[in-house]
Amino acid sequence: MRFPALRMRRMRRDAFSRALMREHSLQVTDLIMVAFVIEGEARCVAVPSMPSVARLSIDKLLELAGECVHLGIPALALFPVPEQKAKSDDAREAWQPDNLLHRAVHVLKARYPQLGLIGDVALDPYTTHGQDGLIDAGGEVMNDPTVEALVKMALAQAAAGIDMVAPSDMMDGRIGCIREALEKTGYPDTRILAYSAKYASVFYGPFRNAVGSAANLGSGGKYSYQMDVANSDEALREVELDLAEGADVVMVKPALSCLDVLRRVKDRFGTPTFVYQVSGEYAMLKAAAQQGFMDEKAMVLEALTACKRAGADAILSYYALDVARWLHEG
Ligand code: PBG
């Protein structure tokens, strides 16, 4: 069929036919809220590089969790911001049973057992140098000793009641080691969300400010473990390995600059695939909105709908609460 019998604009003409032929739609159940946790009580400490995002003490986090539950957001990804004195060269605070994250998990689970909790597994909040792993005398991030530490961290999170551990560190072999340890230690149901295709991206800058790893990291990059932005075949190899090692869900990160990778991963493997709209994406959208350059709601909904179209089953986003409210408004 060709023009004029075929007129593509016919179906676009009215809202009803646009709705009927819509291929993808963003739902509240696609969203995972992201939150930063700090010590203290009744504290909301703003993140300057992420306007409207705050680091919350556990009591305030509980309020945010309540909003997630109320709005129907299925899960919350937690990032602790430990105090400087909790940081060390060996990151041992990461597996202390009563550390900040684990205390938060106890409180959240007691109140909202239905809310899925996702724990970040990487050493950067706990290391004095801000790297995701343990370093040798020359500053090199050591793979195998780091994996041992990550296993301890994942087990401690599972013991604290985390539903899903999310290794975001990009060490080789960590998914297999964590899976094996979870099985052996009596946590066969703890899910693993693998940050499989995690790029060495400038878009993590505001996050590093939020968790306080930026200053510690200094000029040290993460190029020896996070992926080169120029590659996508490599992402498929990473995903394949993580799935073989026992990941339940794989993730691509960042989102908007990696939608092609997301589509390739989903097409190739057909497994649950999440995407992370990272801090820098949030900051860009927020800044443009604050300047009045574009409409915030329209921008964010377009960006997240594009993630769905590219194959995401769920999206981690600092905008999740706002988006859930917008979706409920209709
Ligand atoms: C660290 C970690 C980072 C993010 C999640 N976990 C930053 C990094 O790798 O330096 C980034 C999240 C964001 O930018 O929103 N393991």
Side-chain angles (χ1 to χ4, degrees), residues 187-205:
Y187 301 107
D189 297 325
T190 303
R191 301 151 191 86
I192 301 180
L193 163 59
Y195 284 67
S196 302
K198 177 171 177 177
Y199 286 88
S201 169
V202 71
F203 291 112
Y204 309 151

Side-chain angles (χ1 to χ4, degrees), residues 100-300:
L100 174 61
L101 173 71
H102 301 150
R103 279 181 276 125
V105 172
H106 294 146
V107 172
L108 291 172
K109 273 291 164 194
R111 181 77 172 275
Y112 301 112
Q114 71 273 46
L115 182 66
L117 296 182
I118 302 174
D120 188 61
V121 176
L123 303 184
D124 53 316
Y126 303 102
T127 53
T128 40
H129 44 72
Q131 291 288 0
D132 288 16
L134 303 172
I135 57 172
D136 66 15
E140 183 73 26
V141 174
M142 301 180 289
N143 195 84
D144 302 7
T146 298
V147 171
E148 277 178 41
L150 296 172
V151 166
K152 285 191 263 183
M153 187 175 183
L155 288 179
Q157 291 188 6
I162 278 278
D163 299 294
M164 193 178 255
V165 291
S168 68
D169 54 281
M170 292 297 279
M171 295 303 118
D172 287 322
R174 88 278 203 219
I175 301 299
C177 293
I178 290 172
R179 172 58 75 210
E180 192 190 326
L182 288 170
E183 283 290 328
K184 270 200 198 143
T185 320
Y187 301 107
D189 297 325
T190 303
R191 301 151 191 86
I192 301 180
L193 163 59
Y195 284 67
S196 302
K198 177 171 177 177
Y199 286 88
S201 169
V202 71
F203 291 112
Y204 309 151
F207 173 97
R208 292 178 190 168
N209 294 134
V211 299
S213 65
N216 293 337
L217 191 61
S219 59
K222 299 192 175 182
Y223 301 99
S224 81
Y225 44 104
Q226 298 180 350
M227 277 184 47
D228 187 332
V229 168
N231 299 349
S232 83
D233 289 344
E234 189 188 3
L236 299 182
R237 294 183 72 198
E238 285 281 7
V239 167
E240 187 172 22
L241 287 168
D242 285 353
L243 288 170
E245 290 177 29
D248 300 290
V249 184
V250 294
M251 184 143 72
V252 174
K253 175 188 177 189
L256 217 48
S257 54
C258 299
L259 293 181
D260 58 323
V261 179
L262 178 59
R263 171 45 65 198
R264 288 191 74 188
V265 167
K266 191 63 179 176
D267 281 349
R268 172 79 68 93
F269 300 100
T271 49
T273 307
F274 294 179
V275 74
Y276 194 151
Q277 183 187 51
V278 300
S279 57
E281 297 176 72
Y282 175 89
M284 283 197 302
L285 296 168
K286 187 57 100 176
Q290 287 186 333
Q291 296 281 316
F293 293 156
M294 285 175 280
D295 179 68
E296 185 169 32
K297 174 177 170 180
M299 269 193 289
V300 175

